[in-house]
Amino acid sequence: MTDLIRYLILRWRHDPASTYQSWFLWDERIKNFRSIRRGLQQVVAEITAGTFGVAYRGSPLETVVHSIAEQRQIFKGADHAFLWKPKLRIPDIYENPVNQKAFGQRLDTCLCCNTEEHVVSAVHAIDARKIKGLGPAVANLLYFLHPSIMPPFNTAIVNGYNALTGSKVKLGRWEEYLAMRQGVLKLNETYRSLLSNDLGAIGGLLFDLGSGRYSAPPLENDETARKLWETDLRQVREQSAKEARILAAERETDHTHTEIQGWLRDLGHSLGYDVWIAANDRSRPWQNGKLGDGCLSVFPGFATETQGAQSVRLIDVLWLDRESHGIVAAFEVEHSTTIYSGIVRMLDLALGSEAQALEGLFLVAPDKREADVREQLKRPAFSRIADLKVRYLPYGALEKDRKAIERFGHGLKPIQAISHLLTPA
């Protein structure tokens, strides 16, 4: 059985349509961890202050869960468990202030702690309150806080785990999730060399098994069953070939993101600025070299212990004054990722000590997404955007005018001229 699972994982890892390739190795996935953590901090702050409200819609929790649900197929539908169901009055964290406060306190505990013992203890504590409708779907929030401790959770992952192990884990109960979690940790330990310390990898494997993309190897020692299973694997490979066009389109999206960063890098240099490229994007191939070529490799005067420092390091492009080393402009390129993530990174920069010389915050996105961006900014979580004067820079305008700006431009005025001020109104 061990050999069959190892063989399955190897085939799964190399399948371009697997969750491993399409989500776990996705460069943008890492950026979302900080944004989701920041969003959960906002949830806790509003619950503590008594301003969270009595509805899911429009709350900071909706914004966080929505940003999780938009992350490729594995988290599709992650928001269903948090939607207010008035006839059932669940989940009972909106209209019940005691339950709401308990939920906020446990989230705060998980935000502050970093040990398995404390996280599991917080889970037991919230389970003990028996809050109606608040089940293991919360584990998806905890995964983004502690990816090496808490695996993600949904119906497909449970089904995949049961198929792979012969278990009978049921949905909706925390004790079932915690039992499954122990099994997932053991599986991950056994096959760690093929997976990761990040439980998103094995979560993705279980998701692909439970959603029917892959069949689990037979539990019994039956040669006929094994041959049928191997036939299924071959069929998956053939199906993957048919999905190549869809994957190519997704990769083109990632390529477009890199291309826009490259334009902004070259434009910044031509205008006389030092340029910082997001720490996890610097090694991306661009033209005849790397995206980070000619850019800062160390952030001058950047205090890593500053609040939001790690988030700022992941902003797509920063322009800095060459003499003062102050950040002059920040650019977040949003093509396939959630708008929320980029806005949160900008908030971390604008509200931090590194923003003393900041003159411009720019959200760079396709022309057709501006209406969607403005709709997103109506959320209460983005109420401070108007004060920050974030501007929308369309791809089309940047592509059309960047060469002229490189030749004749000076300072930020040309960029401001082709962008639009964003307000939630």
Side-chain angles (χ1 to χ4, degrees):
M1 185 65 179
T2 300
D3 289 342
L4 293 183
I5 294 177
R6 186 173 295 276
Y7 178 60
L8 167 68
I9 295 173
L10 285 169
R11 294 291 295 270
W12 173 74
R13 276 168 49 102
H14 290 95
D15 176 4
S18 70
T19 301
Y20 184 78
Q21 293 281 346
S22 65
W23 173 70
F24 188 74
L25 297 184
W26 183 38
D27 288 336
E28 296 299 307
R29 182 182 76 94
I30 301 300
K31 290 185 177 182
N32 290 324
F33 278 83
R34 169 64 194 178
S35 301
I36 290 167
R37 169 176 282 272
R38 178 69 171 77
L40 289 175
Q41 288 172 337
Q42 181 67 22
V43 171
V44 170
E46 293 199 10
I47 290 176
T48 302
T51 58
F52 181 83
V54 295
Y56 174 73
R57 295 296 187 190
S59 72
L61 180 61
E62 182 196 16
T63 307
V64 173
V65 177
H66 185 64
S67 71
I68 292 174
E70 285 188 348
Q71 284 200 65
R72 306 284 167 104
Q73 188 67 23
I74 185 172
F75 287 109
K76 185 177 181 180
D79 56 339
H80 291 171
F82 295 93
L83 292 173
W84 172 241
K85 302 167 184 66
K87 291 183 180 180
L88 299 174
R89 312 208 74 73
I90 60 173
D92 196 12
I93 57 171
Y94 304 118
E95 295 187 346
N96 187 317
V98 176
N99 287 344
Q100 185 181 111
K101 190 171 183 179
F103 173 60
Q105 288 172 341
R106 299 313 165 196
L107 275 184
D108 189 42
T109 298
C110 292
L111 279 161
C112 297
C113 69
N114 55 16
T115 67
E116 179 178 5
E117 179 183 3
H118 286 139
V119 176
V120 174
S121 176
V123 169
H124 282 302
I126 200 67
D127 183 35
R129 296 196 64 88
K130 303 301 178 186
I131 299 173
K132 290 193 303 180
L134 195 69
V138 177
N140 286 327
L141 304 182
L142 302 184
Y143 164 71
F144 284 93
L145 298 179
H146 302 284
S148 64
I149 296 175
M150 305 299 286
F153 178 89
N154 58 30
T155 303
I157 290 173
V158 171
N159 291 341
Y161 178 77
N162 287 339
L164 188 63
T165 65
S167 302
K168 296 181 179 180
V169 173
K170 297 178 182 179
L171 291 168
R173 301 180 65 180
W174 275 110
E175 60 263 34
E176 297 275 347
Y177 168 79
L178 291 173
M180 185 187 79
R181 172 184 169 275
Q182 289 297 330
V184 169
L185 291 175
K186 290 177 182 177
L187 277 171
N188 198 63
E189 181 64 29
T190 302
Y191 303 102
R192 189 186 303 275
S193 62
L194 299 177
L195 294 166
S196 171
N197 286 331
D198 184 330
L199 297 176
I202 192 168
L205 173 66
L206 298 176
F207 174 82
D208 282 347
L209 288 170
S211 60
R213 178 171 184 79
Y214 281 85
S215 298
L219 295 170
E220 68 278 7
N221 187 16
D222 184 324
E223 184 63 24
T224 300
R226 175 171 178 163
K227 287 182 178 179
L228 288 172
W229 175 68
E230 290 175 344
T231 299
D232 286 342
L233 285 186
R234 286 194 294 272
Q235 290 176 345
V236 169
R237 183 166 58 184
E238 293 170 2
Q239 181 65 27
S240 294
K242 295 178 182 179
E243 295 172 353
R245 290 189 298 273
I246 297 174
L247 293 168
E250 290 185 355
R251 292 193 183 97
E252 181 61 28
T253 289
D254 292 337
H255 170 72
T256 301
H257 187 282
T258 301
E259 182 177 42
I260 300 299
Q261 284 176 287
W263 290 353
L264 292 167
R265 178 198 73 178
D266 296 344
L267 187 55
H269 284 150
S270 68
L271 293 174
Y273 296 114
D274 281 335
V275 177
W276 170 269
I277 296 292
N280 61 336
D281 291 338
R282 288 199 293 262
S283 61
R284 285 190 178 190
W286 169 244
Q287 295 179 336
N288 296 320
K290 299 290 182 64
L291 189 58
D293 289 349
C295 298
L296 297 171
S297 57
V298 177
F299 219 119
F302 191 82
T304 55
E305 70 277 5
T306 302
Q307 176 69 28
Q310 294 305 311
S311 180
V312 173
R313 292 180 69 252
L314 295 176
I315 290 177
D316 286 320
V317 182
L318 296 172
W319 291 353
L320 294 87
D321 184 272
R322 286 181 175 170
E323 294 184 3
S324 69
H325 306 306
I327 300 172
V328 175
F331 301 86
E332 268 295 334
V333 181
E334 297 299 330
H335 193 93
S336 62
T337 56
T338 61
I339 296 163
Y340 169 80
S341 300
I343 293 290
V344 167
R345 286 190 286 274
M346 287 187 176
L347 284 171
D348 281 336
L349 171 60
L351 301 177
S353 60
E354 294 80 21
Q356 294 178 1
L358 190 62
E359 297 177 29
L361 294 167
F362 298 88
L363 188 66
V364 191
D367 303 45
K368 61 184 180 182
R369 290 201 73 185
E370 185 168 355
D372 181 42
V373 172
R374 292 188 181 278
E375 186 65 28
Q376 292 285 335
L377 292 181
K378 293 178 182 178
R379 297 174 182 269
F382 295 143
S383 60
R384 300 196 63 178
I385 294 302
D387 296 335
L388 298 177
K389 294 183 171 57
V390 176
R391 304 185 71 87
Y392 191 90
L393 177 57
Y395 284 3
L398 181 61
E399 182 176 20
K400 176 176 176 289
D401 296 319
R402 63 189 178 89
K403 290 298 183 183
I405 294 174
E406 285 181 2
R407 293 181 61 188
F408 306 112
H410 178 74
L412 289 187
K413 286 185 178 180
I415 296 294
Q416 291 170 335
I418 63 172
S419 59
H420 315 299
L421 190 64
L422 285 172
T423 64

